[in-house]
Amino acid sequence: MEILFISTIAGLLQGLTGFGAGIILMLYLPYLYPVIQCSGIIGIICLFLSLIMALQYRKFIELKKVLIPLSIYILISTITIVIGPSLNSSYLKKGLSLFFILLSFYFLFIKKSIFISLFCILISSICDGLFGIGGPLMVIYFKNKTDNQNEYLGCIQLFFLVNCIYNTILRIINDILLPQHLSIIDINTCYLFRFTYS
């Protein structure tokens, strides 16, 4: 029953902001699975959400604004996905907690600049590779680079979609995402779709 409640909240947040389902799911799933496997589960759930939203906003996508951050992001997240399974799970949980704390300070105090844009891409790709959460800082990046809300939603959802597909394939190849994870993916995806797009 708890997983349904968490999925409902995640779906509502994703539908309202264009991101955030991964954050909500990552608050709960580490109680069920190791952090590295949670990132794979979240990635495939968010893949479906990003696909639907990218299709909804496809007319507003500016491909040039997506390609540069996408190439940097994929390179860095590849490295973190490959080395992630060799890292100590308890340290990763502490790292995830620290990430949430630093993220809250970031949103409160940091001003926007070119340096911050690069910082957003690098830190997001590391966090996505390790925790399946790359959205919050990329929101700041795409908010700065797009001209309106529809363009923002189209670009960020295409960005998330390509990353989710790539990272999911990489996690399957590296035995992070396993067949036994499919049951939780099915349950969560159904609830996320229901509450995100109803």
Side-chain angles (χ1 to χ4, degrees), residues 172-185:
I172 290 169
I173 291 169
N174 286 285
D175 294 325
I176 295 169
L177 190 60
L178 303 169
Q180 62 260 35
H181 300 132
L182 293 178
S183 63
I184 194 164
I185 291 168

Side-chain angles (χ1 to χ4, degrees), residues 25 30 35 37 49 56 64 77 92-93 97 104 113 120 128 130 146 165:
L25 290 168
V35 172
Q37 290 177 340
L49 293 171
Q56 285 180 327
K64 292 183 291 187
S77 65
L92 285 177
K93 285 184 182 180
S97 300
S104 64
S113 69
C120 289
D128 193 9
L130 292 176
T146 53
I165 291 169

Side-chain angles (χ1 to χ4, degrees), residues 50-61:
S50 294
L51 174 63
I52 297 297
M53 290 187 78
L55 289 173
Q56 285 180 327
Y57 291 95
R58 67 187 175 276
K59 295 184 287 191
F60 305 103
I61 293 172

Side-chain angles (χ1 to χ4, degrees), residues 43 65 92 95 122 138 174:
K65 294 180 180 180
L92 285 177
L122 293 174
M138 292 313 298
N174 286 285

Side-chain angles (χ1 to χ4, degrees), residues 6-26 42-54 56-57 132-136 139 149 152-153 156-161 164 188-189 191-198:
I6 299 296
S7 298
T8 301
I9 293 171
L12 289 171
L13 182 61
Q14 185 83 12
L16 291 172
T17 65
F19 81 105
I23 296 170
I24 299 299
L25 290 168
M26 189 52 101
I42 289 167
I44 201 164
I45 291 169
C46 291
L47 185 152
F48 291 109
L49 293 171
S50 294
L51 174 63
I52 297 297
M53 290 187 78
Q56 285 180 327
Y57 291 95
I133 302 172
V139 166
Q149 182 70 6
Y152 155 75
L153 286 170
I156 200 165
Q157 292 309 317
L158 176 64
F159 176 85
F160 287 153
L161 175 62
C164 285
N188 280 294
T189 303
Y191 277 90
L192 285 168
F193 279 154
R194 178 178 172 197
F195 290 100
T196 304
Y197 304 106
S198 59

